[in-house]
Each structure stands twice: as structure tokens, then as C-alpha cells.
């Protein structure tokens, strides 16, 4: 029955971008100051990543913006102290954020086991 | 009943007309001599979760010791990015009801389907439907006149058979390997609420529909969102600089919602209010309107104590919402890290890694 029909999905708001992340022009040569463009992301990752990167003492400034509300793009700006690499700070931020959610997940499952008893 | 023990930085203070101490300040460099760098061990110490209530429809839990950005990320993911299953394509073989095909298809899309979305693959644009990414239901209902009806009867329930089409009329049709797969056979896909009225029929009208359900996220269409509501609020606190006078005890109690404050009487007949349950506080700020309590009472909310309330449509169990949101966040982080690897190391490295993986497989 179903072989008769063409199943093309018509609509989707998720735009296709060639890359997930991009360096915006104007970064310093040593990458100590850089703006990253994150595609198909929003405040969910933008704000939590901003928070965790700001917890890094080598980071002088971190902020994010969504340049246009109908474009799923986040601009993440990182400025480092003493010429350190903002890419390293982003890697560290991603790792720390991953650990954070891991901790929450584990605590929740432990609590749920207790709750069921 | 004071909360003096709570670190002042953890309190968002509520005044008559304004709020104070709103922003998080736990960043390195904000307080001289304090190390506020991210530290996993101290986070493990500070973070705690209490599950308060769980039912099939909703759950309430406290998430304590995290920044608002994290709590809000989890809330946003619950609403928009936890996958669920919903009717995506409706094939109409016959529809002689008064409801138009497209309206019918829209209504059918909103019926929550009970099946673990993790067991289904994503249906990407241009994919062909198969037993891994699609669940098929049929909806075949025909309305008929009942026999032996008393003359003059006007009640449709007595006159007609099948004149109301409910979600319970969905019948699952196993596709391919689904027929023998224990994931499907032990807990077959079904509607979460069988009593959802879809349309009404009259004698001679019939429906013959095939419904193809796929996995999706709320970002794409609200029908895929498992969250009916997902909200959080901060735990309220009250701080008293001086004890409340006995004659003002009842007034003090009446300033709060029922069950927040109670009054105790000691052997000398002195009345003393005490805090029973801060959770019930609506933070109406009524207490700040009375001159009697001027400069005595300080209202606030604990900045990092989030009381989450999550209701689901039934397509995902409410208790599973937080772990699934965490998993979604971890996937997003992994995707960004992969993208960053491409910038840093270039595309070739990725291909080499892929080849290494293949070699390992060959050795096995």
C-alpha cells in the first residue's frame, strides 16, 4: 500500500548549513580574540556555553548574540588574557559543559532510584 | 524562621517595587581573593537534585546549585528538542466526513503517540519510509444506522454506530521487522489517550486513512514536543531582622498564602509566627505593604534553587524528560566539538580517523 506513495517531506525549519561552526573574519592572528558562528543553534547552547566559558579564569570576555531572530545562528565572542588561544577556551568550555550535564544526569538517576524505594 | 545561614549571594532580593542582586556573580575575578573557576568536584558537591512527585502526567523536582543558564537550557530543550513520535503523513483513501482532509490530517498529527522515540531512527528529508523510521496506523471507521431504534429517537448514541471517531480507533500495522521485534511486540505503539475525539460521522460517511508516524522535535512542529508544560521557579525565602511582635503574628500569617506561615503560642500566651513551607509562597509581597513590618522582613528567592514542574503529553514519561534533555545537550556539544575539529585540524584529519576505524573493523 505504502509503496504507491511519494514520501517527500515538504517543510522543515532546520536550514541546511555546510558547517556547524565557523570563524568570523576579524580574529586576531594568535586567535586570542575571535568570534565563532554556530549554525542551527540558539540561546539553549549560546547562554550555557557563555556561562561555562566565563568560568575560565584565562577568559577576559565571553558573550553571545543572535544577530537575527529568524536565522538559527549564534555568534559567540571570546577574548583571552595574555595571548592565549580562544579555541582552547572553547574546547575547555565544551568539555566542562559536557561534564556538567553528565553530573546532573547521574545525580538525577541516583535520586530516582532512591525515590522509587 | 530566618534564613540567615543562606549565603547572601544566593539570594535574589525582592523589594516593594524592584528586585536586587539579580545577576550571577560567580565568575573568576568578580571577588578579589576568591577562586570561582569552574571545578567539577566542587560542582558535584554543590549540585543536588530532589525528586518531589512523579505521576504518569507530570513530575516535580528541585535542581539545586546550578546557574540559571543551565536550568534554562534544560527547560528549553524539554520543550523544543526532546524527540517524540507523531503522525507526519496521512494518506486519505476515503474521507466522506464533513471534516476536510487537511484539517483531519492536522488533528491527527496532534494525537500523542505512545512509543519510545529512542527506538526509532530520524526521518530525514528525502528518506524513504521503512520499518526503522516509520510507524504505521490505519484509521478505518464507517458510521451506520442501528437497527431496532424506537421511533422518534433523537439521541445519536442510540441511532448510530461509530458516529464518533476516537483516537482509540487507531490500529497499529506492523511493518517489516517490526512484526517480530520484541521492542514493538511487547509494547506495541498506541495512542496515549484513547478518548481524544477526532471527528463525528453520520450514516453513510466513512474514513479510510493510513497514518505514517515519524520521530521529530518540537522545534520543527509543536506536535513533536513531549512537553505539555515545562517550567521552573526559584524557591522563595523570608529573612527576619527582628522577631515579629505577638500582636502582629496573625497579620504576618495572613500576608502569605495558606500553609506558608503558621503561628505558635508559648505558655505565656506570646504568639510567634514560624515558617512552614516556603514552596507554597506565591511571593505576593503583601507583607511589604504593612508599616508594622517595615525594615523587619526581607523577601527573596534562592538564585540557584530551581523547582521544575514538567508535564508531558504522554509521548515521553515525565521522569525521563530531564535525562533525555541532558542527552540532547551532550549531543549538541559533541556536534559543535566535531565542527571545531574540522576548523582546527581540517577536513582531512577526519577522513583519516574514519579510515583508522575501518582498519580496526577489518582486524576483527
Amino acid at each position: 500500500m505504502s509503496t504507491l506513495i511519494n514520501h517527500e517531506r515538504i517543510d522543515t525549519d532546520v536550514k541546511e548549513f555546510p558547517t556547524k561552526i565557523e570563524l568570523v573574519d576579524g580574529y586576531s592572528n594568535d586567535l586570542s580574540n575571535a568570534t565563532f558562528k554556530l549554525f542551527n543553534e540558539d540561546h539553549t547552547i549560546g547562554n550555557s556555553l557563555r556561562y561555562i566559558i566565563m568560568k575560565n579564569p584565562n577568559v577576559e570576555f565571553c558573550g553571545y548574540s543572535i544577530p537575527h531572530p529568524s536565522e538559527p545562528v549564534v555568534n559567540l565572542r571570546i577574548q583571552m588574557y595574555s595571548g592565549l588561544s580562544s579555541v582552547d577556551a572553547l574546547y575547555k568550555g565544551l568539555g566542562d559543559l559536557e561534564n556538567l550535564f553528565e553530573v546532573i544526569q547521574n545525580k538525577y538517576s541516583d535520586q530516582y532510584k532512591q525515590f522509587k524505594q | 524562621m530566618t534564613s540567615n545561614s543562606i549565603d547572601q549571594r544566593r539570594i535574589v532580593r525582592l523589594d516593594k517595587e524592584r528586585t536586587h542582586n539579580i545577576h550571577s556573580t560567580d565568575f573568576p575575578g568578580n571577588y578579589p581573593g576568591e577562586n570561582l573557576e569552574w571545578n567539577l568536584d566542587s560542582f558535584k558537591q554543590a549540585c543536588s537534585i530532589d525528586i518531589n512527585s512523579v505521576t504518569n502526567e507530570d513530575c516535580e523536582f528541585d535542581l539545586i546549585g546550578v546557574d540559571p543558564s543551565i536550568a534554562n537550557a534544560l527547560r528549553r530543550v524539554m520543550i523544543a528538542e526532546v524527540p517524540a513520535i507523531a503522525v507526519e503523513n496521512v494518506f486519505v483513501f476515503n474521507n466522506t466526513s464533513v471534516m476536510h482532509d487537511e484539517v483531519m490530517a492536522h488533528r491527527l498529527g496532534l494525537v500523542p503517540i505512545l512509543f519510545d522515540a529512542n527506538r526509532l531512527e530520524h526521518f530525514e528529508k528525502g528518506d524513504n519510509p521503512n520499518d526503522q523510521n516509520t510507524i504505521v496506523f490505519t484509521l478505518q471507521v464507517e458510521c451506520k444506522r442501528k437497527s431496532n431504534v424506537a421511533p422518534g429517537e433523537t439521541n445519536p448514541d442510540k441511532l448510530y454506530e461509530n458516529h464518533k471517531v476516537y483516537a482509540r480507533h487507531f490500529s497499529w500495522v506492523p511493518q517489516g521487522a517490526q512484526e517480530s521485534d520484541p521492542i514493538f511486540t511487547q509494547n506495541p505503539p498506541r495512542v496515549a489517550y484513547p478518548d481524544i475525539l477526532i471527528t463525528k460521522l453520520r450514516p453513510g460517511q466513512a474514513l479510510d486513512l493510513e497514518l505514517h508516524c515519524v520521530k521529530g522535535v518540537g522545534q520543527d512542529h509543536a506536535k513533536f514536543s513531549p512537553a505539555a508544560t515545562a517550567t521552573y521557579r526559584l524557591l522563595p525565602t523570608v529573612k527576619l531582622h527582628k522577631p515579629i511582635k505577638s500582636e502582629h503574628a496573625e497579620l504576618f500569617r495572613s500576608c502569605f498564602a495558606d500553609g506558608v506561615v503558621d503561628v505558635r503560642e508559648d505558655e505565656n500566651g506570646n504568639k510567634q509566627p514560624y515558617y512552614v513551607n516556603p514552596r507554597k509562597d506565591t511571593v505576593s509581597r503583601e507583607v511589604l505593604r504593612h508599616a508594622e513590618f517595615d525594615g523587619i522582613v526581607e523577601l527573596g528567592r534562592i538564585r540557584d534553587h530551581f523547582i521544575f514542574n514538567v508535564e508531558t503529553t504522554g509521548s515521553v514519561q515525565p521522569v525521563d524528560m530531564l535525562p533525555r534533555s541532558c542527552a540532547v545537550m551532550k549531543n549538541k556539544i559533541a556536534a559543535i566539538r566535531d565542527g571545531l575539529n574540522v576548523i582546527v585540524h581540517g577536513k582531512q584529519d577526519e577522513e583519516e580517523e574514519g579510515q583508522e576505524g575501518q582498519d580496526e573493523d577489518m582486524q576483527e
Side-chain angles (χ1 to χ4, degrees), chain B residues 102-211:
Chain B
E102 50 271 52
V103 180
M104 181 80 75
H106 176 246
R107 287 179 70 75
L108 292 167
L110 297 170
V111 174
I113 305 291
L114 212 60
F115 186 73
D116 187 355
N118 289 348
R119 304 292 188 184
L120 218 60
E121 286 174 8
H122 259 292
F123 189 92
E124 303 294 343
K125 200 175 179 178
D127 276 359
N128 282 319
N130 59 41
D131 54 0
Q132 301 294 306
N133 62 22
T134 307
I135 292 170
V136 178
F137 289 94
T138 56
L139 182 59
Q140 291 165 324
V141 185
E142 195 182 346
C143 180
K144 282 191 175 138
R145 223 172 261 285
K146 279 183 182 167
S147 51
N148 303 327
V149 178
E153 180 61 59
T154 54
N155 183 352
D157 289 333
K158 290 179 181 162
L159 279 168
Y160 318 124
E161 235 168 80
N162 281 340
H163 75 290
K164 283 177 179 170
V165 182
Y166 287 105
R168 72 170 76 93
H169 290 114
F170 282 31
S171 94
W172 175 54
V173 186
Q175 303 293 308
Q178 291 174 3
E179 205 157 7
S180 51
D181 189 341
I183 293 163
F184 283 87
T185 50
Q186 281 170 13
N187 202 1
R190 60 187 191 279
V191 292
Y193 296 94
D195 289 336
I196 299 170
L197 181 65
I198 290 162
T199 189
K200 290 183 177 181
L201 301 176
R202 281 296 175 264
Q205 298 178 348
L207 283 181
D208 184 358
L209 311 174
E210 189 175 297
L211 321 173

Side-chain angles (χ1 to χ4, degrees), chain B residues 220-239:
Chain B
D220 184 27
H221 192 295
K223 70 184 173 186
F224 290 118
S225 177
T229 60
T231 62
Y232 60 71
R233 62 199 177 94
L234 296 176
L235 182 73
T237 67
V238 173
K239 190 176 161 183

Side-chain angles (χ1 to χ4, degrees), chain A residues 1 5 7 9 21 41-42 44 51 54-55 57 91 94 96 98 100 102 105 107-108 111-112 115, chain B residues 26 28 36-38 44 47 49 69 76 88 91 210 212 220 319 322-323 330 332 337 339 341:
Chain A
M1 206 193 239
I5 303 130
H7 272 256
R9 261 189 90 182
I21 180 167
E41 292 298 349
D42 53 19
T44 306
Y51 165 74
M54 278 172 76
K55 291 284 271 181
Y91 268 122
L94 291 168
D96 290 344
E98 201 168 32
L100 185 153
E102 183 81 39
Q105 218 171 358
K107 293 225 176 203
Y108 187 83
Q111 272 301 312
Y112 186 53
F115 178 81
Chain B
D26 56 334
L36 291 164
E37 184 183 348
W38 169 255
K44 275 183 193 163
C47 172
I49 289 169
S69 60
R76 286 174 63 93
E88 173 73 5
F91 302 103
E210 189 175 297
H212 287 210
D220 184 27
V319 269
L322 185 82
K330 287 199 279 184
K332 289 163 92 74
R337 190 185 286 122
N341 283 337

Side-chain angles (χ1 to χ4, degrees), chain A residues 4-17:
Chain A
L4 297 171
I5 303 130
N6 174 26
H7 272 256
E8 183 80 10
R9 261 189 90 182
I10 320 144
D11 59 321
T12 160
D13 285 345
V14 180
K15 273 197 214 157
E16 304 259 330
F17 291 101

Side-chain angles (χ1 to χ4, degrees), chain B residues 268-320:
Chain B
N268 303 327
N270 281 327
K271 287 179 175 175
Q272 201 35 239
Y274 68 103
Y275 223 4
V276 186
N277 189 358
R279 286 169 175 277
K280 289 187 173 171
D281 196 354
T282 56
V283 197
S284 65
R285 309 193 202 190
E286 168 70 11
V287 72
L288 301 178
R289 295 180 63 239
H290 297 274
E292 294 90 329
F293 306 125
D294 249 2
I296 297 176
V297 186
E298 207 174 287
L299 293 181
R301 309 188 94 129
I302 300 177
R303 165 196 309 294
D304 61 353
H305 189 133
F306 296 91
I307 303 169
F308 268 82
N309 213 303
V310 182
E311 289 175 37
T312 69
T313 59
S315 47
V316 173
Q317 283 295 304
V319 269
D320 293 336

